[in-house]
Every structure is written in C-alpha cells, then in structure tokens.
Amino acid sequence: MATLKQRKEFWETLKSFDGKNIAEEVKTISAMVNKMSPAKLCRYRSASPKNLEALRTNKLGFSTSDYYDDPFDTFLHIDTSVIRREIKSAMTNPHTFEMLAFLKEKYGLSIPNEILAEITSDTNFEFAFNNAKDYIQKNVRNVMRRTMPSICFSENEYNETLWLKYANDHKGFVQVYDMNNTDALICGTLPDCTKCPMGDRSFYFYPVYYSNKKYDATNFAKWYAAVLMLKQIAAQGVISESTVNDIVKHFPQNVWEREKITLIKKYCHHYDEEWRLLTTNFIPNSENSKLYIKWLPSKIILGLNMTESDKSLVASIALQAGIKEVTEMYINDNDNLTDKKYKR
C-alpha cells in the first residue's frame, strides 16, 4: 500500500511540474507511480440494478466530481486577493486602451472604439472585481467539476467506512482488481474499442494526496475564465471560433493543472486510501455519462449484511462475467473483517 509519505512525495513531484518538458515529466511520474502502485485496487458498490449490470458487463463508468459526495472534490482554491490586485492593475494601467485597440485590430474584432474607451475608463473597481470573482467562482469551478471524469478506487477491501458509505451499509459488494494482471484489462482488445475514446487506453492511475493545505489554482482559474468568456462571446457571433482558438493558443497551457486539482483532498478523507483513474484527453461534458473502461475483476467480495438472495444474485452475475473468485465477508475471532470462499 502507498504510505502517506509516498503520497506526499508523489504530490510534491506533480506540483513541481511546469509542462516545459512533458516527456520527461511523464517518465518521472510514471516511475514514481509504478513504484508505489498497490497489488490490488478495490471498488465498493451497492447492489443496485445499474451496478449489477456494470458488473455483468465488466464496465467501470467514469463520473465527475459534481456527482461525488464531497463538495470540495476537484474544487478550485482561488486567491481572491490576486484577482483583486490584477484587476486593479489593469484598470489603472494607462496603456490598457492601446492594448485592447491592438487586439481589436489584430483579430479584426467589430468593437467600436467608444466601447473600448468606456471599458478602460470605468473606475468602478469594486463592481469589476465582484463580477470577475463571481464569474470565476461560479462558472470556472462548476465547469471544472463537470469536465474532469475519473474512476475512484481504494487500496483496502476491508475498509469499514467505505463499506458503510459506498456499499450500502455492508449490503453491497466489492470488486477487487489485480494490478499485476494486464490481461484482465479488456480495453483496447475488442473490435468495438476503435469506436471508444478509451480504446487506446488513454488513462492512468494516480494516488490521491491528503492535506489541509489547499492547492492554489488561481492562475489556472483566471486563464480558464478568459477561455470561457471568449467562447461565450463567439457563441453570440461577435467573433469567430477560429479567432478564439488563435487567441487561446497564446495563453499559458497549464499542463498538469487538471491532475493537480483533482488529486488532492482534505486530510479528513485519508482513510479512503484512494487511487484515481484519470483520462489523458479532454472529454466533452455530454460524453461523460457514456464514458467507461472494461476491466475484469479478480474477485468479488459479498457484504456482511447482504441477504442470501442478493448474495446468490451477485455471485451468479459474477460467474456470467467471467469472475472466478467470489468470497463473503465475516467477522473473525479477532473481531476484524475478513473474507472466506462463498459457497453457492
């Protein structure tokens, strides 16, 4: 299992990346993850019809953090004092009008000069600051939470808290995945995989870091806000999408920011012992609900409080899915959770 020390070392390494040498950074982080990777990963499930169908088909669906139970998951920490300072600097800069006029000319924007003059002569600083702050907090945060799909796992199949939270008070089950069995990962091996965004296995496992020290995503948030604003302006027909793309390519690319934002959680969640599978490609929000990987579990563990009929049902579905081992939880003589072979 990954220790808290290893998770911290991983986080500090990830946080240090600036995207200037992506190939080397990928090599570094991959080696670190491989070294601390657990032998197995576990997925806690309730025995709902949706989860049973996913079990039957070996599917693991991606979710976005706006559906997670933690409101601070993939939450952008924004230093509003920085936003305030930069807006004040822009509003008091005597060359702001010339800069906007240059951009208007460069990109052929149909904005009258009197509008530019009005924008640059606006002295209502608090109004401008509050508008910018509200836009970033409401729009950028929400967009990020809806566009960072992930699949969550734990290293520990005996985690009592997770059995309560995600396996319906021990009435559900746990899917256990062998990290050393590469043949169990079905993605990329079937003809239909060519039609799937995950068919090229463009995803990676990462450990989650736990800390009460927030990651400062202010710089990412302000540039992402600018992108969203430009896209909204383009949608109104003021400028073209190609112009927006031309402008945006000059923005900082903020490589690794999505990983940094989603792979840190408050320390109170450290008991989760969590790992996440993240996509390497941006997936449109409309596709998130359809996104999945196919991975054959090495084992299914039936919950302590499952009814006999539910145990029989889940065990039968596991057999159909090609899962060879089915066990059931019990409390041993040392008063700890453990599992034994399920007798069908």
Side-chain angles (χ1 to χ4, degrees):
M1 290 186 177
T3 65
L4 288 175
K5 181 181 178 181
Q6 286 176 313
R7 289 175 183 268
K8 183 177 182 179
E9 289 173 350
F10 160 81
W11 170 254
E12 294 297 338
T13 300
L14 175 65
K15 196 172 67 167
S16 71
F17 289 167
D18 56 16
K20 293 179 179 178
N21 190 340
I22 297 177
E24 190 61 32
E25 290 170 347
V26 168
K27 182 179 178 181
T28 299
I29 209 72
S30 296
M32 181 170 281
V33 168
N34 289 337
K35 186 176 180 180
M36 62 189 292
S37 178
K40 62 181 179 301
L41 287 178
C42 308
R43 184 99 162 128
Y44 288 79
R45 302 279 80 188
S46 65
S48 68
K50 180 180 178 181
N51 289 338
L52 293 178
E53 176 61 16
L55 174 65
R56 185 186 68 81
T57 56
N58 293 310
K59 287 184 178 180
L60 287 171
F62 284 82
S63 296
T64 48
S65 60
D66 52 325
Y67 288 103
Y68 294 163
D69 55 357
D70 178 7
F72 290 101
D73 198 311
T74 315
F75 184 86
L76 277 75
H77 170 59
I78 300 164
D79 188 340
T80 54
S81 66
V82 173
I83 304 297
R84 174 186 286 273
R85 184 170 63 249
E86 294 192 1
I87 288 177
K88 187 172 184 178
S89 174
M91 292 182 71
T92 56
N93 188 334
H95 302 294
T96 300
F97 176 82
E98 288 83 355
M99 180 185 67
L100 292 178
F102 169 77
L103 292 174
K104 171 194 167 183
E105 184 70 23
K106 177 178 174 61
Y107 295 106
L109 306 180
S110 56
I111 305 174
N113 282 342
E114 54 266 28
I115 298 296
L116 293 183
E118 183 179 336
I119 293 172
T120 55
S121 63
D122 190 351
T123 57
N124 193 341
F125 165 70
E126 287 300 327
F127 178 78
F129 166 67
N130 287 326
N131 273 350
K133 181 182 71 172
D134 290 346
Y135 185 86
I136 290 174
Q137 290 180 341
K138 293 177 181 178
N139 291 280
V140 179
R141 275 179 178 161
N142 290 338
V143 168
M144 269 301 300
R145 298 197 79 212
R146 294 195 302 267
T147 56
M148 191 62 189
S150 63
I151 303 176
C152 304
F153 300 86
S154 174
E155 296 183 354
N156 184 3
E157 67 267 51
Y158 304 125
N159 190 310
E160 295 177 32
T161 303
L162 298 185
W163 273 104
L164 292 170
K165 286 180 67 177
Y166 302 119
N168 191 22
D169 299 332
H170 296 264
K171 300 183 187 74
F173 57 95
V174 166
Q175 298 163 204
V176 181
Y177 296 90
D178 184 350
M179 293 291 282
N180 297 315
N181 183 6
T182 56
D183 293 336
L185 187 59
I186 302 169
C187 282
T189 65
L190 302 175
D192 284 349
C193 289
T194 57
K195 305 173 185 176
C196 175
M198 296 294 100
D200 60 355
R201 300 191 181 188
S202 54
F203 47 80
Y204 291 92
F205 293 95
Y206 296 107
V208 171
Y209 173 59
Y210 303 100
S211 175
N212 288 329
K213 183 178 180 181
K214 301 177 178 69
Y215 172 65
D216 188 350
T218 307
N219 194 57
F220 170 80
K222 70 181 184 183
W223 287 107
Y224 200 75
V227 172
L228 291 180
M229 287 180 180
L230 285 170
K231 289 184 176 180
Q232 289 174 358
I233 294 171
Q236 296 169 4
V238 177
I239 56 177
S240 67
E241 287 189 18
S242 61
T243 297
V244 169
N245 293 334
D246 190 28
I247 295 173
V248 168
K249 73 181 182 182
H250 297 290
F251 288 3
Q253 295 305 299
N254 292 308
V255 178
W256 297 108
E257 283 300 304
R258 291 175 176 272
E259 287 80 2
K260 293 173 186 177
I261 292 163
T262 199
L263 293 174
I264 182 171
K265 295 178 72 173
K266 288 187 175 181
Y267 184 77
C268 61
H269 298 288
H270 73 278
Y271 59 78
D272 287 354
E273 301 167 286
E274 186 177 348
W275 283 68
R276 285 194 172 177
L277 186 148
L278 304 180
T279 64
T280 55
N281 300 321
F282 176 78
I283 308 296
N285 184 48
S286 60
E287 298 298 316
N288 284 338
S289 61
K290 308 172 187 175
L291 202 61
Y292 63 87
I293 65 167
K294 296 193 77 170
W295 194 10
L296 179 66
S298 61
K299 181 169 79 169
I300 295 295
I301 306 177
L302 306 174
L304 186 69
N305 294 332
M306 287 185 86
T307 64
E308 288 304 319
S309 60
D310 278 351
K311 285 183 179 181
S312 178
L313 174 62
V314 173
S316 297
I317 293 173
L319 181 65
Q320 294 176 40
I323 302 165
K324 296 181 179 179
E325 186 177 3
V326 178
T327 64
E328 60 181 329
M329 279 293 180
Y330 74 100
I331 299 174
N332 64 20
D333 291 340
N334 294 321
D335 299 333
N336 293 319
L337 280 179
T338 189
D339 62 314
K340 61 183 178 181
K341 183 177 180 179
Y342 172 69
K343 296 181 179 180
R344 301 176 188 271

